[in-house]
């Protein structure tokens, strides 16, 4: 996949393209269904295929205090788009000026003149242009006027329901990891820097690495214990992840994300790692005594090992 950045307001000279435009948070199976249609039409027309996306959530640009809940950061999104074998990813900065364009102006000035879109696929429920006031019949009409073919993509459903980034966020927030992973088509991840923690874990036989996510707005799943795979410098370890407020130890409301890496005993402070969520084990809870917590963690580890083994 070739990546083109339009931050300098430059024109693209590699077209014309068969393309689709959107934020594509998570690049889930619904997005992949749309991208497949783009690629098939591009092959039929012997043209390159392209996805046009935004580095920053459009609403974040328009509302400075808005905190988007993201399934993936920008770099992660580019990586996932690369797995679809799309020919081009074109990053278009979303600006206040861009937001004021009508749908027709956006199609004419940006998609046709700046990018060079020949055929535009529009997601079954996608709207663009100022205040998203218009719909597919309008886009189709504008396309005919400017000699751009506009196609409405077919929807993708699982068990009679449309797939959306919102649905996947909800699943993650409920700890339903396997269902979320199924809709993503890959295992959900968190990446971050290892920071100083309370060091309580090492005193009870379960040293943990405290993770500070690189992506500020990335969705943190439901509080609890998870079976995970831990990626450190291209090596994958099995591990047990905890997300919670450590209620047995103190009353601090701050949420901690920490991972106990199995068969690993090196210093990771200030280094980075990625945890890959495999399954949810149990919710966070407060124990009456530290001994009860330690006994439960031993049980958790056995469950985690069994769950990871079953997923191999």
């Amino acid at each position: 996949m070739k990546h083109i950045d339009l931050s300098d307001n430059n024109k693209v000279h590699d077209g014309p393209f068969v393309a689709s435009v959107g934020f594509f948070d998570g690049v889930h199976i619904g997005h992949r269904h749309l991208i497949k249609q783009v690629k098939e039409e591009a092959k039929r027309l012997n043209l390159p295929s392209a996805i046009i996306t935004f580095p920053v959530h459009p609403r974040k640009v328009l509302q400075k205090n808005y905190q988007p809940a993201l399934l993936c950061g920008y770099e992660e999104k580019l990586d996932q788009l690369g797995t679809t074998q799309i020919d081009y990813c074109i990053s278009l900065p979303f600006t206040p000026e861009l937001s004021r364009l009508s749908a027709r102006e956006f199609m004419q000035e940006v998609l046709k003149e700046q990018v060079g879109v020949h055929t535009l696929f529009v997601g079954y429920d996608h709207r663009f242009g100022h205040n998203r006031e218009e719909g597919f019949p309008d886009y189709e009409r504008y396309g005919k006027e400017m000699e751009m073919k506009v196609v409405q993509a077919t929807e993708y459903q699982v068990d009679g329901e449309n797939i959306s980034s919102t649905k996947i966020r909800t699943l993650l927030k409920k700890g339903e990891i396997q269902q979320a992973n199924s809709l993503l088509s890959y295992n959900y991840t968190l990446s971050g820097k290892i920071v100083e923690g309370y060091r309580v874990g090492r005193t009870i036989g379960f040293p943990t690495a405290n993770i500070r996510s690189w992506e500020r707005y990335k969705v943190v799943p439901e509080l609890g214990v998870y079976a995970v795979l831990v990626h450190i410098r291209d090596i994958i370890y099995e591990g047990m992840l905890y997300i919670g407020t450590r209620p047995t130890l103190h009353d601090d409301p701050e949420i901690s994300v920490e991972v106990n890496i199995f068969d690993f005993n090196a210093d990771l402070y200030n280094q980075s790692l990625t945890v890959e969520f495999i399954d949810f084990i149990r919710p966070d809870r407060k124990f009456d005594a530290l001994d009860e917590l330690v006994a439960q963690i031993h049980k958790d580890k056995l469950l985690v090992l069994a769950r990871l083994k079953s997923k191999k």
Side-chain angles (χ1 to χ4, degrees):
M1 180 184 79
K2 182 176 180 180
H3 179 221
I4 297 176
D5 186 351
L6 294 182
S7 56
D8 293 329
N9 204 33
N10 52 310
K11 283 190 176 183
V12 182
H13 301 288
D14 297 28
F17 299 100
V18 177
S20 187
V21 59
F23 190 62
F24 293 94
D25 186 31
V27 194
H28 55 64
I29 58 175
H31 295 141
R32 290 169 190 269
H33 176 68
L34 168 60
I35 291 170
K36 180 183 178 183
Q37 294 172 72
V38 171
K39 289 164 52 185
E40 288 174 346
E41 182 67 5
K43 183 177 180 181
R44 190 183 73 81
L45 296 175
N46 196 29
L47 293 174
S49 58
I51 288 300
I52 303 164
T53 192
F54 309 107
V56 179
H57 196 288
R59 191 170 163 188
K60 180 65 179 171
V61 175
L62 299 177
Q63 299 172 241
K64 297 300 182 183
N65 294 327
Y66 176 66
Q67 298 188 0
L70 300 179
L71 296 175
C72 60
Y74 177 54
E75 294 298 331
E76 186 181 356
K77 176 164 64 173
L78 295 181
D79 288 343
Q80 287 298 334
L81 285 171
T83 68
T84 69
Q85 285 80 53
I86 196 79
D87 294 321
Y88 287 80
C89 174
I90 300 170
S91 292
L92 176 67
F94 192 88
T95 63
E97 293 75 23
L98 188 70
S99 74
R100 289 191 283 270
L101 296 179
S102 66
R104 194 191 193 292
E105 290 169 336
F106 178 70
M107 290 174 65
Q108 178 71 48
E109 298 174 19
V110 179
L111 299 185
K112 186 174 179 63
E113 297 176 5
Q114 185 177 5
V115 176
V117 174
H118 174 281
T119 300
L120 176 67
F121 274 77
V122 180
Y124 73 95
D125 63 347
H126 185 64
R127 289 174 177 264
F128 54 82
H130 183 63
N131 291 334
R132 304 173 71 184
E133 295 166 338
E134 296 157 295
F136 180 77
D138 302 297
Y139 311 149
E140 189 176 36
R141 185 173 72 256
Y142 301 149
K144 289 179 180 177
E145 294 171 0
M146 62 186 72
E147 297 183 341
M148 177 193 297
K149 183 179 180 182
V150 181
V151 180
Q152 187 162 38
T154 61
E155 59 187 315
Y156 188 83
Q157 294 188 331
V158 172
D159 297 330
E161 292 188 17
N162 295 324
I163 307 306
S164 68
S165 300
T166 299
K167 179 176 178 62
I168 297 170
R169 292 184 199 108
T170 300
L171 289 172
L172 291 171
K173 285 294 188 180
K174 292 166 63 178
E176 297 179 11
I177 294 299
Q178 291 192 58
Q179 297 94 318
N181 288 346
S182 176
L183 298 185
L184 285 168
S185 79
Y186 58 89
N187 295 331
Y188 188 69
T189 63
L190 279 178
S191 297
K193 178 182 178 180
I194 305 306
V195 296
E196 189 78 30
Y198 289 90
R199 296 180 178 265
V200 175
R202 66 183 65 247
T203 68
I204 59 175
F206 292 93
T208 60
N210 288 62
I211 306 169
R212 179 180 295 160
S213 177
W214 295 120
E215 173 50 62
R216 179 182 178 186
Y217 300 112
K218 194 168 170 75
V219 172
V220 175
E222 170 68 61
L223 305 189
V225 177
Y226 294 84
V228 298
L229 295 176
V230 186
H231 298 248
I232 305 171
R233 296 187 293 270
D234 298 323
I235 300 177
I236 300 175
Y237 300 87
E238 295 183 332
M240 174 169 56
L241 182 85
Y242 170 75
I243 302 173
T245 59
R246 291 181 285 203
T248 305
L249 302 175
H250 51 70
D251 295 324
D252 188 349
E254 182 180 355
I255 293 176
S256 173
V257 180
E258 50 193 89
V259 62
N260 173 240
I261 307 168
F262 303 157
D263 303 316
F264 185 87
N265 192 30
D267 187 358
L268 284 173
Y269 287 122
N270 292 319
Q271 298 187 52
S272 62
L273 59 70
T274 296
V275 291
E276 182 181 346
F277 287 80
I278 304 301
D279 207 354
F280 180 74
I281 300 300
R282 67 167 175 87
D284 192 16
R285 57 170 287 205
K286 183 175 182 178
F287 295 87
D288 293 330
L290 184 60
D291 288 348
E292 290 183 26
L293 170 62
V294 174
Q296 181 61 56
I297 294 175
H298 280 281
K299 294 177 183 178
D300 293 340
K301 183 173 182 178
L302 293 176
L303 285 171
V304 167
L305 287 169
R307 209 66 59 88
L308 290 174
K309 184 177 180 180
S310 71
K311 295 299 178 182
K312 288 183 178 178

